[in-house]
């Protein structure tokens, strides 16, 4: 029997399943485990190669007749918000994001459930239990943290934290060349604030403050309305067969 060290990734291919983005299409994914001493190094290389992380799994589409899923990353130093994006920033100026370790809480899970039921009631994640959620947040061998958003309060200027109920949460991987937005969710009552756009804008700022050149947004699918928002964050680079290509 041939054995492989945990630090050497082995790749596997999933069976076909319905595509979550394009009705009538089938998807397949290639995946590997991100564990061991080289987990962070491997995750960085794979992220730069178009993979996404979910817990200790890195995956990317490997569909036989479709290349619709395109990895995108914002060019942080050159990014400038549009007039509409500046209005979104002003509309959410009363929110404060606090970075914390990637530890789950009952408050997060309650908000996560409300978000799924309002926005993704028929998606595959709607059946996630509190244990599933905890694993999504804390099962990581790479540098990962959460950002919790709450309203600005009277003591925020003193201790830098928001106060009151949780409004939004982002799960973030920190790479040597950027931040990767793994997953985010928010209070559906705040949907009219374009809070999803706000979370991306806030992480562009966080990447810039760290002097990191990229913000990884995951996959963009031209034909999918739910993915259309990602193309508004330009300039960005898209991963094509020839490598990362600038799009403006």
């Amino acid at each position: 029997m041939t054995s492989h060290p945990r630090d050497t990734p082995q790749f596997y291919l999933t069976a076909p399943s319905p595509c979550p983005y394009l009705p009538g299409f089938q998807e397949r994914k290639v995946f590997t485990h991100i564990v061991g001493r080289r987990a962070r190094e491997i995750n960085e290389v794979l992220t730069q190669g178009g993979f996404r992380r979910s817990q200790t799994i890195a995956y990317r589409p490997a569909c036989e007749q479709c290349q619709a899923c395109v990895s995108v990353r914002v060019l942080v130093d050159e990014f400038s918000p549009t007039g509409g994006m500046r209005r979104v920033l002003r509309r959410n100026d009363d929110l404060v994001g606090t970075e914390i370790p990637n530890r789950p809480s009952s408050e997060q899970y309650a908000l996560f459930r409300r978000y799924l039921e309002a926005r993704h009631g028929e998606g595959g994640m709607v059946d996630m239990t509190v244990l599933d959620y905890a694993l999504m947040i804390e099962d990581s061998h790479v540098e990962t943290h959460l950002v919790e958003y709450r309203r600005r309060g009277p003591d925020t200027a003193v201790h830098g934290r928001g106060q009151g109920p949780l409004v939004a949460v982002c799960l973030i991987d920190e790479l040597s060349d950027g931040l990767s937005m793994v997953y985010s969710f928010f209070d559906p009552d705040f949907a009219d604030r374009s809070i999803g756009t706000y979370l991306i804008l806030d992480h562009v700022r966080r990447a810039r403050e760290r002097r990191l050149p990229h913000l990884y947004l995951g996959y963009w699918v031209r034909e999918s309305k739910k993915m259309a928002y990602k193309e508004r964050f330009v300039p960005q680079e898209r991963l094509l067969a020839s490598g990362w290509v600038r799009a403006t």
Side-chain angles (χ1 to χ4, degrees), residues 21-223:
Y21 306 121
L22 301 177
F25 282 73
Q26 296 280 302
E27 72 164 358
R28 300 189 77 178
K29 295 176 182 176
V30 60
F31 70 95
T32 189
H33 298 277
I34 317 172
V35 294
R37 294 180 299 105
R38 298 180 59 224
R40 179 172 180 174
E41 173 190 346
I42 292 169
N43 185 53
E44 293 218 3
V45 171
L46 293 178
T47 299
Q48 293 163 4
F51 280 73
R52 295 288 286 168
R53 184 184 72 82
S54 177
Q55 299 173 223
T56 58
I57 298 291
Y59 66 91
R60 68 168 298 172
C63 307
E64 297 172 356
Q65 298 180 333
C66 178
Q67 289 80 43
C69 292
V70 178
S71 294
V72 297
R73 62 188 187 187
V74 181
L75 296 173
V76 168
D77 292 338
E78 300 179 56
F79 176 81
S80 180
T82 64
M85 290 175 180
R86 287 192 290 271
R87 287 191 291 275
V88 170
L89 288 170
R90 290 193 295 270
R91 195 179 307 145
N92 292 283
D93 188 51
D94 61 335
L95 300 183
V96 176
T98 303
E99 293 187 17
I100 63 171
N102 57 313
R103 297 184 186 131
S105 71
S106 57
E107 185 183 22
Q108 293 168 17
Y109 181 68
L111 181 63
F112 175 69
R113 295 301 318 171
R114 288 188 60 211
Y115 172 79
L116 288 182
E117 290 163 8
R119 302 292 292 257
H120 302 286
E122 298 179 356
M125 298 179 75
V126 74
D127 295 325
M128 286 178 64
T129 66
V130 65
L131 178 58
D132 295 328
Y133 174 79
L135 289 172
M136 180 179 78
I137 297 300
E138 64 185 0
D139 193 8
S140 171
H141 289 235
V142 303
E143 188 168 344
T144 307
H145 65 264
L146 291 171
V147 182
E148 289 189 340
Y149 293 83
R150 303 177 191 270
R151 287 183 184 269
R152 191 180 304 277
D155 297 330
T156 296
V158 177
H159 53 59
R161 293 175 176 267
Q163 296 177 287
L166 194 58
V167 172
V169 178
C170 289
L171 179 63
I172 304 297
D173 284 352
E174 186 158 349
L175 313 173
S176 62
D177 74 328
L179 299 178
S180 176
M181 299 187 72
V182 177
Y183 193 76
S184 61
F185 55 94
F186 53 85
D187 187 335
D189 291 343
F190 282 68
D192 61 350
R193 290 179 173 226
S194 301
I195 197 166
T197 295
Y198 169 74
L199 297 179
I200 295 176
L201 293 172
D202 187 57
H203 277 82
V204 168
R205 176 186 64 80
R206 292 173 185 272
R208 184 175 290 145
E209 288 178 349
R210 287 169 163 81
R211 298 185 178 181
L212 298 172
H214 303 121
L215 178 65
Y216 288 85
L217 298 183
Y219 298 119
W220 167 69
V221 180
R222 186 186 301 274
E223 295 83 0

Side-chain angles (χ1 to χ4, degrees), residues 2-32:
T2 302
S3 63
H4 300 281
R6 286 166 59 89
D7 293 336
T8 302
Q10 304 298 307
F11 292 89
Y12 308 91
L13 187 64
T14 66
S17 62
C19 176
Y21 306 121
L22 301 177
F25 282 73
Q26 296 280 302
E27 72 164 358
R28 300 189 77 178
K29 295 176 182 176
V30 60
F31 70 95
T32 189

